[in-house]
Amino acid sequence: MRSIAACVVVVALSSIGLAPVIARAPQGGGARGGQGPGARGPQAPPLLMTTTAFEDGGVIPDKYTQAAGAMAVSPELKWSQVPTGTQSFVLLLHDPEPVLNKSSKMDVTHWLIVRIPATATGLKEGGAQGELPDGGRQVSLRANADMGPGAPAGPYHHCTFELYALDTRLDVAQGTPQEAANTRVGVVNAMDGHVLGKAVIVGRFHR
């Protein structure tokens, strides 16, 4: 009779939205605090890139752009919180506003460096042209070096620095400035499936 009465009480409470809470055993063998099998452990911090040249989202000083002419230099970049297993880095500086050949996949390639060693923690201001001493290979639309932002008068362009941490070291030829777009496509395709982390800095510029 007691079990019948208990069922009646449960049904009655359910009908008015006051069903009793039934405790359930924890899943995964009763582990607590997310320490058991299948539990998610602490997440690794994301890859971080910084620069002292300008604030993220701020205006890029002329000294780092085509406005400085032959005196232009590349900005210092630093990165940290590198993902475990990183074998190399790729750096891409591009201007996403211009449309080239009506393509949805290509814009202006201002700087592309591949095969940056995993031991690197940044790039110094005013880096050298051509293949770098550490084996890095670089190219842009105008030289085998950084081609600073050069947006014309009008709305600001959002020049985007992208750093990728890869679990491999790409075997991609440096290429010539005339081949920069094709080199970039080849690099992006080769990176697919090997990206461990990504960091982005955006700077604004116009004449």
Side-chain angles (χ1 to χ4, degrees), residues 12-47:
L13 290 174
S14 298
S15 67
I16 60 173
L18 296 176
V21 176
I22 301 175
R24 298 181 182 274
Q27 300 298 312
R32 297 182 180 182
Q35 302 299 316
R40 296 183 63 183
Q43 298 298 300
L47 179 63

Side-chain angles (χ1 to χ4, degrees), residues 90 164 166 168 170 186-195:
V90 168
Y164 296 87
L166 307 181
T168 187
L170 303 181
V187 168
V188 170
N189 289 339
M191 287 197 305
D192 193 29
H194 295 284
V195 178

Side-chain angles (χ1 to χ4, degrees), residues 87-174:
Q87 298 297 311
S88 71
F89 298 97
V90 168
L91 178 73
L92 172 63
L93 168 59
H94 65 110
D95 182 348
E97 264 81 8
V99 176
L100 299 183
N101 300 320
K102 298 184 179 180
S103 173
S104 63
K105 300 179 180 179
M106 185 55 59
D107 47 41
V108 177
T109 305
H110 283 274
W111 200 14
L112 175 65
I113 311 179
V114 299
R115 297 175 63 85
I116 302 173
T119 54
T121 57
L123 297 169
K124 65 180 182 180
E125 181 178 293
Q129 297 191 16
E131 187 162 339
L132 302 176
D134 60 13
R137 300 170 181 173
Q138 58 180 331
V139 71
S140 70
L141 287 176
R142 292 188 179 177
N144 287 109
D146 170 38
M147 179 185 78
Y156 278 110
H157 284 209
H158 298 78
C159 303
T160 306
F161 294 78
E162 298 178 359
L163 179 70
Y164 296 87
L166 307 181
D167 65 4
T168 187
R169 200 169 190 203
L170 303 181
D171 187 15
V172 178
Q174 179 169 270

Side-chain angles (χ1 to χ4, degrees), residues 59-60 62 65-67 149-151 155-157 159 203-207:
V59 176
I60 302 175
D62 284 353
T65 74
Q66 295 175 34
Y156 278 110
H157 284 209
C159 303
R204 296 179 291 125
F205 178 73
H206 67 178
R207 302 271 184 168

